[in-house]
Amino acid sequence: MNDIRMGIIVAMLAGGVFFTFVSAVGVIRLPDVYSRAHTASQTDTLGAGLVVGAVVLAYGFESEVIKAVLLLVFIFITNPTAAHAVARAAYEEGIEPWTEGDERR
Amino acid sequence: MLETAFLATAAALVVLAIVVLYRAVKGPTMQDRVVAVNVLGTNTVVILALLAVAMDTEAFLDIALVYALLNFLMAIAISKFTVKRGDVI
């Protein structure tokens, strides 16, 4: 494995950990369920996408790369859909969005 | 060398998943808990994919695929059956 590929893999792993960290901070710190669903889907898609992309690069031309690409596609499709469904369920239950001045929930 | 990088990434993701567990325990509404468990499940899928490379066990990729689909099904089912009536998607 040459050095350029290893450097790209390590950079993608670091980026994925960074975006997952942003997602964790957002889920802990943001004030209501809608903003939490937003940060969970957005940065979790990017973080998981970068890390699974690094897995794909590490495998190279082998048959396992098909499973890794399928995993990437499923994560990209299902994660925003699940966040949308959860946010819509919260809206149907009558949870008010947080506005400035409210207390944090 | 590369295995060390993958294992270190997996360890960092485990720590972040434990941090997210706080929101799943505390979260005031049910939807907060679902969002937190969804993030945790995605972290688990990514950790499984990392371990498949680091430990050279290709079966973990199959388990990760099944886990990703079950995770999606969990979020959809809970958000569908907690609303009294109406369509979620």
Side-chain angles (χ1 to χ4, degrees), chain A residues 55-87:
Chain A
V55 170
V56 170
L57 269 184
Y59 270 121
F61 292 103
E62 293 179 44
S63 63
E64 285 80 26
V65 92
I66 299 173
K67 289 174 197 164
V69 171
L70 267 182
L71 192 60
L72 195 58
V73 170
F74 280 143
I75 286 177
F76 266 130
I77 292 176
T78 60
N79 238 334
T81 313
H84 172 78
V86 170

Side-chain angles (χ1 to χ4, degrees), chain A residues 3-43:
Chain A
D3 286 341
I4 298 174
R5 194 164 138 206
M6 264 180 83
I8 291 175
I9 288 173
V10 171
M12 282 173 92
L13 288 178
V17 169
F18 170 72
F19 281 113
T20 313
F21 174 74
V22 171
S23 170
V25 170
V27 170
I28 295 294
R29 289 279 299 159
L30 284 176
D32 71 339
V33 62
Y34 303 107
S35 47
R36 278 176 212 139
H38 151 73
T39 184
S41 75
Q42 193 179 16
T43 56

Side-chain angles (χ1 to χ4, degrees), chain A residues 6 13 17 20-21 27-28 33 36 40 44 48 51 55 59 64 67 74 78-79 82 85-86 88-89 93 95, chain B residues 1-2 9 13 16 19 22-23 31-32 34-35 38-39 42-43 46 52-53 58 62 65 72 79 82-83 88:
Chain A
M6 264 180 83
L13 288 178
V17 169
T20 313
F21 174 74
V27 170
I28 295 294
V33 62
R36 278 176 212 139
D44 210 36
V51 176
V55 170
Y59 270 121
E64 285 80 26
K67 289 174 197 164
F74 280 143
T78 60
N79 238 334
V86 170
R88 186 150 175 188
E93 275 203 346
I95 298 172
Chain B
M1 171 58 199
L2 204 58
T9 309
L13 290 185
L16 289 174
V19 168
Y22 167 79
R23 181 55 69 191
Q31 280 78 22
D32 283 313
V34 178
V35 166
N38 206 4
V39 171
T42 310
N43 273 353
V46 172
V53 177
E58 285 121 20
D62 301 334
L65 267 175
F72 172 63
S79 51
T82 50
V83 177
V88 173

